[in-house]
Amino acid sequence: MILLSAVRRISNDFCILKEARREVLEDVMDIHNAKEILKAIGNGTIETKYIHTSIPSPFALNLVVQGHTDVLRMEDKVDFIRRMHQQVLAKIGKNHAL
Amino acid sequence: MERIMPSKKTELAKNLRIEDISLVYKDTLIMGDLQLGYEESMEYAGYLIPHFQLKDIIEKLDKIFSKIKIKKVIINGDLKHEFGTILNQEWRDTLKMFDYLFSKIGEGGEVIVVRGNHDVILDPITRKRNVNIVDEYVMDDIVIVHGHKLTTTDKPIIIIGHEHPAISFKERREEKYKCFLVGRWKGKKLIVQPSCNPLIPGSDIFREEYLSPFLKEGIEDFEVYVIEDGIKYFGKVKDMRKL
């Protein structure tokens, strides 16, 4: 965490940060092919069907579980704490807000 | 979005309030756990980090000095990092810090260091700038101690550092946010300051063990003030565990 904070201050385009982002988007997420699939769904080349089942399919379950351990944290540190603070204020009352 | 009006919640006691990473009591600034020289110490351990720590701290102090008239600065321990020696960077940065502080508080201003556990060999540096090192410092109803050892004070308000408090959230356990903790110890009000060092993210109060003997009984009823993007009051530790 210390190295990451230090490097972020130098530049958001620091080569190691760039490579880390590329690795997440291209290697882990495969963003290029994901875009192609979404395009194809959008223009009808790939047809989608909704099928309701009582339990998730193995494929669906895997996605749900993975979603909870999301590798990609696009939400900025400040936005996150603001969101958490809003949640807390809702519970403890607005008279404690700053 | 509804505009939330500011309340008196930045005031922790009469005339005592949070200002970014430090506390201000009347015209006294209280900050701690700077651990200057940390970058050079990391270099010896094999990590090469640019030396931005001092610049960062001074930037934050500039903002405080520009809006509040400060005549005295209390450094609540761990001014420099290394225990058994004085690194080159520590000589430079500590002297620079003293010179900076004196330039801001002017004639008749005072800089005092409350000895922390890292301040074993600090005297050679403080002697060069006429800075006193004390084991505890009293101001009216407040006593300031570093926090690695208990105090026998009868004052109703105690300020400690040492702990480097920070919090994390279930949703994002790897990100730590620095905070102030306000609670009670032996019937007195206890305030725990975060570290002023930008490189040290802090110790997660939800996960890590407590260093200070002041926190031995646990901190469930302590209130949390997060200092990221201003000051954010989060209520008590025990309620935050549910987040």
Side-chain angles (χ1 to χ4, degrees):
Chain A
M1 277 320 284
I2 294 173
L3 288 179
L4 186 63
S5 305
V7 145
R8 264 195 203 136
R9 279 163 207 270
I10 298 172
S11 165
N12 213 29
D13 281 335
F14 192 77
C15 52
I16 294 185
L17 289 180
K18 271 172 102 163
E19 173 57 17
R21 284 195 289 264
R22 186 212 64 77
E23 198 176 304
V24 169
L25 290 172
E26 291 179 13
D27 299 347
V28 180
M29 274 186 71
D30 193 5
I31 196 161
H32 300 299
N33 284 317
K35 278 190 186 157
E36 292 305 309
I37 304 267
L38 288 175
K39 251 196 246 160
I41 296 176
N43 63 30
T45 316
I46 296 181
E47 200 188 298
T48 52
K49 258 189 186 163
Y50 291 95
I51 304 170
H52 289 274
T53 60
S54 55
I55 53 167
S57 70
F59 190 56
L61 182 64
N62 204 32
L63 288 176
V64 169
V65 166
Q66 274 189 1
H68 280 284
T69 53
D70 197 354
V71 169
L72 196 63
R73 298 255 187 239
M74 291 318 291
E75 192 181 19
D76 172 75
K77 189 175 185 186
V78 171
D79 291 335
F80 177 74
I81 194 79
R82 279 187 191 158
R83 183 159 64 84
M84 288 286 106
H85 193 222
Q86 287 302 315
Q87 281 186 25
V88 167
L89 288 180
K91 285 192 194 151
I92 62 178
K94 298 202 172 66
N95 52 311
H96 286 297
L98 288 168
Chain B
M1 197 171 99
E2 186 191 317
R3 188 159 175 256
I4 297 165
M5 299 307 292
S7 75
K8 287 222 182 82
K9 267 297 179 180
T10 41
E11 253 211 2
L12 302 183
K14 193 153 191 289
N15 291 314
L16 177 70
R17 67 180 194 282
I18 300 173
E19 277 295 332
D20 196 3
I21 39 163
S22 64
L23 288 166
V24 171
Y25 177 69
K26 294 184 183 170
D27 56 7
T28 301
L29 178 75
I30 309 157
M31 59 178 185
D33 296 289
L34 278 77
Q35 294 197 6
L36 296 176
Y38 194 59
E39 296 106 325
E40 188 170 339
S41 154
M42 294 239 88
E43 276 162 37
Y44 280 106
Y47 301 93
L48 188 65
I49 305 180
H51 293 197
F52 65 81
Q53 188 183 317
L54 182 66
K55 183 164 157 279
D56 229 64
I57 298 173
I58 288 183
E59 257 173 42
K60 286 188 191 267
L61 291 177
D62 271 343
K63 289 201 189 114
I64 299 175
F65 283 122
S66 67
K67 59 174 189 157
I68 307 169
K69 180 110 188 68
I70 302 284
K71 290 231 209 71
K72 199 190 294 179
V73 177
I74 317 283
I75 297 175
N76 194 2
D78 291 355
L79 172 54
K80 74 170 195 62
H81 180 70
E82 277 295 324
F83 291 97
T85 180
I86 306 179
L87 301 173
N88 290 327
Q89 190 195 5
E90 290 178 338
W91 271 112
R92 282 193 311 268
D93 286 2
T94 309
L95 289 173
K96 270 195 202 150
M97 176 55 84
F98 285 148
D99 290 340
Y100 168 76
L101 292 174
F102 279 116
S103 77
K104 287 293 175 180
I105 58 181
E107 281 294 313
E110 245 191 303
V111 175
I112 296 151
V113 174
V114 173
R115 199 182 289 276
N117 52 313
H118 279 251
D119 299 321
V120 178
I121 304 186
L122 188 60
D123 305 60
I125 311 181
T126 53
R127 253 180 264 136
K128 284 193 185 278
R129 288 295 186 271
N130 237 350
V131 170
N132 283 326
I133 308 180
V134 296
D135 284 321
E136 50 179 67
Y137 190 76
V138 174
M139 278 188 308
D140 303 333
D141 280 339
I142 302 172
V143 69
I144 302 170
V145 282
H146 183 61
H148 58 301
K149 292 198 279 214
L150 293 175
T151 175
T152 52
T153 189
D154 56 349
K155 296 291 172 190
I157 303 173
I158 305 173
I159 298 175
I160 63 169
H162 187 55
E163 198 67 33
H164 308 177
I167 52 161
S168 65
F169 296 90
K170 268 203 208 97
E171 229 184 282
R172 222 173 172 182
R173 276 289 176 226
E174 73 280 0
E175 195 92 74
K176 294 195 245 198
Y177 293 85
K178 290 191 181 176
C179 61
F180 281 82
L181 294 176
V182 180
R184 302 206 74 80
W185 178 79
K186 290 209 175 13
K188 303 165 200 303
K189 186 181 216 125
L190 179 69
I191 299 169
V192 189
Q193 292 184 274
S195 159
C196 289
N197 184 323
L199 283 169
I200 293 175
S203 310
D204 190 346
I205 60 173
F206 294 131
R207 296 210 289 182
E208 300 171 50
E209 280 185 13
Y210 309 128
L211 297 172
S212 174
F214 284 95
L215 304 181
K216 231 174 49 147
E217 310 285 313
I219 56 166
E220 298 309 296
D221 283 315
F222 276 59
E223 295 173 293
V224 179
Y225 293 78
V226 171
I227 42 163
E228 176 81 42
D229 181 42
I231 304 165
K232 293 177 164 54
Y233 177 70
F234 270 80
K236 294 194 174 175
V237 172
K238 61 183 177 193
D239 298 322
M240 282 194 73
R241 286 194 191 277
K242 303 173 193 156
L243 275 178

